[in-house]
Amino acid sequence: MSGEIAEAFARAKARGEGALVAYAMAGDPDLARSVDVFAACVEGGADILEIGVAFSDPIADGPVIQAASERALKAGATLRRVLDEVVPAVRERCPQTPLVVMTYVNVVMALGEERYAKLARERGVAGTILPDLPPEESASIRAAFDKEGLALIPLCAPTTSPARAETIAKDARGFVYCVSVAGVTGMRSELPANLSERLELVRRFSPVPVVAGFGISTAEQAGVVGAHADGVVVGSAIVRAAQADGPAAARQVCAELKRGLKR
Amino acid sequence: MDTETAPGRFGRYGGRYVPETLVPAHLELEQAYAEARKDPAFDEQVSQVLREYVGRETPLTPARRLTELWGGAEVWLKREDLAHTGAHKINNTIGQVLLARRMGKKRIIAETGAGQHGVATATACALFGMPCEVFMGAVDVERQSLNVFRMKALGAKVTPVESGSRTLKDAMNEAMRTWVAQVEDTYYVIGSAAGPHPYPTIVRDFQSVIGREVRTQSLVAFGKLPDAIIACIGGGSNAIGILHPFIHDKDVRLVGVEAGGHGLSSGQHGASLTLGTEGVLHGSRSLVLQDENGQIIEAHSISAGLDYPGVGPELAHLAKTGRLEVRTATDDEALAAFYRVSRTEGILPALESSHAFARAEDLARELGKGKHLVINCSGRGDKDVATIAARGIPAAIGQEGA
Ligand SMILES: Cc1ncc(COP(=O)(O)O)c(C=O)c1O
């Protein structure tokens, strides 16, 4: 239920904070240890968890997440196993935190869109992000998700025209994911100057919260962006920290980002 | 039979599955291409370059000794190996680079497997003075070193891709990722009739010059349309290019040959039409080699140009509806065909084209005398001689061909 997602944003807001959506790759370095990483993110203050399900050909991802996908695939992290093993385990350790799956459309199609929607909801997934599924191609998946109450979370890009951004925002479920830079996932030292205006535009039309992601890795960046959004998504910085120094490092990155998100 | 059911859809296949960042670029490309097609000056510009620079039209050559040897249909070769840079790939890159210029783009990126598309893109960029970067799997960089040199000599930057299987599919991922980051001023020249809409349509249109020429040439050469046409299929650009103008000619059999690699049961092949399942790869819905979890399986072929786990959506549709007959040839069969054609006709075909030749032998016999078979000789084999020589020249073939 996307109600869960709305509540998580509301809780963060009530505390005077922007929400932190923390991304990590299920199955990196293996299924069990990735559960520890997700739990550590929540200990560090993450409000929503984004569970990456690896795809062999991740065209929207930069080098850090791409390498994580390769490790996860080697560890056997199929969508089915993530739903059966990782999601319930994370759910148990972090019962308050909404879970969102991020993967590619082929992975969902292979399981079957209706079957996926049903299984995901049964296991406790609240929403799904498919970065290679633009609105023009999303009708049938969206219908399958709506039927189960699973939110299809749309993306909006810096290249998206205002008119298109309006359509995307109006139809959104869960939250709108505004890609902050024209590029793949990954950390960046600078974010585009017009990002705040874009976020405000999308927020005007969106019935659901709006977050910014791609390129954000520091508390300072989270603070700047978070001032114009309901939250931020951070992936590569967490994935890299977890890979180098384990769950504790992921917790620390999240705690640091949360500091930046205090209003 | 009209293949396009909706813009960019070929039956169930096609579409545009790309990150939102790239959607506006695809919409822009779709519109720019639609306008270019309506402009006779653009068409004339492309035709002129193809004539004056590429060397079109390419001949339709009677293969008299193969005809005699195979003892069946009269065999004719469409000589894309004689196009500038040695393969059909140049037809598409000239068209797309001219389109990029028309759109005011400042730089060109491309992906390449065998290197033929990379060379063809680098060539068009040199001709029109545009900076060019070509992504190529690290494995392919190694096995196609001649083409890597050619691209560099032509002034292109060649970027080896180390991710995944380090072959064509990964080069395509990397080109898309790069495009996402530089979409404002960069044009991505896709090399086969695959990828997100409108690429399968654009590439098919530019390559259809092959089939249009075959139509007029066969009427002159033997007074009717061919009874069958056969082409190899990697992503499918040479196949759709020669076959598309004949889709409505019910009496013309259309045959495609996929890479059988070490054999279909070995799991090491590039036969996505034969053994693939419906999926989304590189922005389009088509038939792909994948496991039950939707992970793409690495393809295998002795020829880098057929080593691709997907296939263009229009060919998938033609195959599913039965208009296209799909066959496969193994690495060994392609090698044998390479020597056979070299020694009977004095033409070294590309290893990709050798797959078409391998099945053409059966087809010529099936068709029988009095029928006419056209084989798309999609490229020349010079780029492959190191790969082939490394296996040693089989003595037996040395005897027979003499
Ligand atoms: C000579 C030649 N033929 C065929 C192919 C296969 O590609 P397509 O199926 O797009 O024609 C290639 C690809 O590199 C090639 O170089």
Side-chain angles (χ1 to χ4, degrees):
Chain A
M1 265 182 321
S2 31
E4 247 179 284
I5 295 175
E7 282 164 26
F9 277 102
R11 277 199 303 272
K13 194 173 175 186
R15 290 195 303 266
E17 299 167 355
L20 173 62
V21 183
Y23 172 98
M25 178 65 74
D28 177 27
D30 56 45
L31 273 73
R33 282 187 285 173
S34 69
V35 173
D36 296 336
V37 174
F38 288 114
C41 289
V42 173
E43 285 162 27
D47 300 284
I48 294 172
L49 287 174
E50 203 176 308
I51 298 184
V53 176
F55 178 48
S56 51
D57 296 78
I59 53 174
D61 282 300
V64 171
I65 291 178
Q66 196 190 343
S69 322
E70 288 187 25
R71 292 192 296 272
L73 286 174
K74 279 209 185 77
T78 61
L79 177 57
R80 192 62 219 235
R81 285 192 67 193
V82 172
L83 290 176
D84 288 348
E85 299 171 40
V86 177
V87 168
V90 175
R91 203 70 196 144
E92 200 175 303
R93 303 253 302 258
C94 322
Q96 301 293 315
T97 314
L99 308 184
V100 165
V101 164
M102 172 149 173
T103 189
Y104 287 81
V105 64
N106 196 56
V107 174
V108 168
M109 266 178 55
L111 185 59
E113 40 204 47
E114 284 169 16
R115 189 142 164 254
Y116 167 73
K118 190 162 183 304
L119 280 174
R121 272 319 294 158
E122 279 170 14
R123 305 289 191 276
V125 174
T128 299
I129 301 169
L130 300 169
D132 59 342
L133 187 76
E136 290 83 352
E137 304 290 356
S138 72
S140 84
I141 286 192
R142 198 182 148 98
F145 283 18
D146 278 351
K147 201 170 136 224
E148 296 292 336
L150 182 70
L152 178 62
I153 294 159
L155 292 116
C156 194
T159 48
T160 306
S161 68
R164 195 176 157 85
E166 182 178 340
T167 318
I168 291 173
K170 278 186 171 154
D171 276 351
R173 308 272 199 278
F175 57 87
V176 182
Y177 188 152
C178 276
V179 173
S180 56
V181 291
V184 291
T185 58
M187 296 162 275
R188 301 219 172 33
S189 49
E190 266 180 66
L191 295 171
N194 62 352
L195 178 59
S196 50
E197 292 153 41
R198 178 156 284 281
L199 286 167
E200 301 293 354
L201 172 92
V202 176
R203 278 176 98 185
R204 252 204 315 284
F205 297 113
S206 174
V208 290
V210 175
V211 305
F214 278 43
I216 299 165
S217 63
T218 67
E220 199 196 345
Q221 285 173 329
V224 173
V225 176
H228 301 277
D230 299 293
V232 299
V233 186
V234 176
S236 295
I238 293 171
V239 170
R240 197 171 70 165
Q243 196 220 346
D245 298 308
R251 181 197 309 127
Q252 211 172 345
V253 171
C254 289
E256 184 60 24
L257 288 161
K258 258 328 254 195
R259 254 195 302 286
L261 285 166
K262 289 234 156 42
R263 300 222 163 100
Chain B
M1 158 178 167
D2 251 331
T3 49
E4 275 191 67
T5 44
R9 284 280 168 187
F10 306 95
R12 313 176 43 78
Y13 306 109
R16 179 190 289 136
Y17 298 84
V18 296
E20 173 61 27
T21 307
L22 289 180
V23 172
H26 283 86
L27 297 171
E28 181 194 353
L29 176 58
E30 187 177 4
Q31 195 186 347
Y33 179 62
E35 279 163 17
R37 283 204 74 178
K38 275 186 270 161
D39 179 0
F42 179 73
D43 188 42
E44 179 45 35
Q45 190 184 20
V46 174
S47 302
Q48 187 179 354
V49 177
L50 291 180
R51 211 163 49 234
E52 296 177 351
Y53 181 76
V54 173
R56 301 209 73 90
E57 55 185 39
T58 60
L60 184 68
T61 302
R64 297 200 175 87
R65 296 195 62 215
L66 276 180
T67 301
E68 197 179 322
L69 185 72
W70 291 345
E74 206 171 277
V75 180
W76 293 75
L77 312 182
K78 180 56 174 170
R79 302 292 305 282
E80 292 305 292
D81 59 315
L82 292 180
H84 178 47
T85 70
H88 68 291
K89 297 284 180 187
I90 190 87
N91 304 326
N92 169 48
T93 61
I94 293 291
Q96 285 202 52
V97 172
L98 282 171
L99 183 60
R101 286 221 316 179
R102 200 182 145 98
M103 293 171 72
K105 298 291 174 183
K106 297 283 179 282
R107 57 193 292 272
I108 298 289
I109 58 169
E111 86 296 331
T112 196
Q116 280 311 116
H117 172 61
V119 168
T121 308
T123 298
C125 288
L127 180 64
F128 299 115
M130 298 198 45
C132 175
E133 180 174 5
V134 180
F135 296 90
M136 189 170 185
V139 169
D140 293 335
V141 168
E142 234 163 78
R143 58 181 173 175
Q144 301 287 336
S145 58
L146 176 64
N147 273 341
V148 173
F149 175 79
R150 292 168 77 195
M151 285 183 268
K152 288 180 176 168
L154 289 159
K157 179 178 171 200
V158 179
T159 303
V161 175
E162 297 286 352
S163 57
S165 58
R166 298 149 79 226
T167 60
L168 177 57
K169 86 174 169 66
D170 310 286
M172 207 152 167
N173 291 335
E174 198 57 37
M176 285 218 185
R177 282 192 282 256
T178 302
W179 196 27
V180 175
Q182 300 170 350
V183 63
E184 293 289 330
D185 63 348
T186 301
Y187 185 101
Y188 176 20
V189 180
I190 290 188
S192 196
H197 175 60
Y199 283 103
T201 302
I202 292 179
V203 177
R204 176 251 277 156
D205 290 351
F206 286 135
Q207 291 293 3
S208 290
V209 67
I210 306 172
R212 286 197 304 272
E213 287 176 7
V214 169
R215 279 192 88 88
T216 44
Q217 288 172 319
S218 58
L219 291 175
V220 172
F222 44 84
K224 62 180 181 66
L225 296 182
D227 297 288
I229 307 173
I230 190 166
C232 67
I233 298 181
S237 71
N238 85 94
I240 198 71
I242 196 169
L243 301 179
H244 193 267
F246 294 92
I247 286 178
H248 299 283
D249 300 294
K250 289 286 180 286
D251 296 336
V252 181
R253 284 173 66 182
L254 310 181
V255 184
V257 185
E258 301 194 287
H262 295 315
L264 293 184
S265 57
S266 72
Q268 293 193 293
H269 54 75
S272 29
L273 287 172
T274 308
L275 291 179
T277 52
E278 191 171 317
V280 170
L281 175 65
H282 296 140
S284 91
R285 183 191 289 247
S286 187
L287 293 168
V288 299
L289 299 178
Q290 58 182 330
D291 67 16
E292 71 277 14
N293 299 304
Q295 306 297 340
I296 306 305
I297 295 171
E298 290 169 22
H300 164 83
S301 170
I302 188 174
S303 84
L306 302 186
D307 191 350
Y308 181 60
V311 62
E314 189 165 11
L315 287 174
H317 177 65
L318 291 171
K320 279 286 171 187
T321 52
R323 181 67 185 97
L324 176 73
E325 301 170 39
V326 183
R327 303 182 180 195
T328 62
T330 63
D331 288 353
D332 289 343
E333 289 173 319
L335 268 176
F338 167 83
Y339 283 110
R340 174 75 71 215
V341 176
S342 299
R343 288 165 191 213
T344 48
E345 294 294 343
I347 294 167
L348 271 59
L351 274 178
E352 290 83 3
S353 320
S354 300
H355 286 73
F357 280 103
R359 284 289 80 84
E361 178 171 355
D362 318 334
L363 186 56
R365 294 201 174 112
E366 258 173 66
L367 288 164
K369 285 202 185 347
K371 302 286 184 181
H372 293 79
L373 170 63
V374 172
I375 306 169
N376 198 4
C377 186
S378 58
R380 63 178 188 226
D382 302 48
K383 69 183 173 64
D384 299 315
V385 291
T387 308
I388 298 167
R391 299 191 162 220
I393 296 189
I397 296 177
Q399 298 301 315
E400 283 174 54

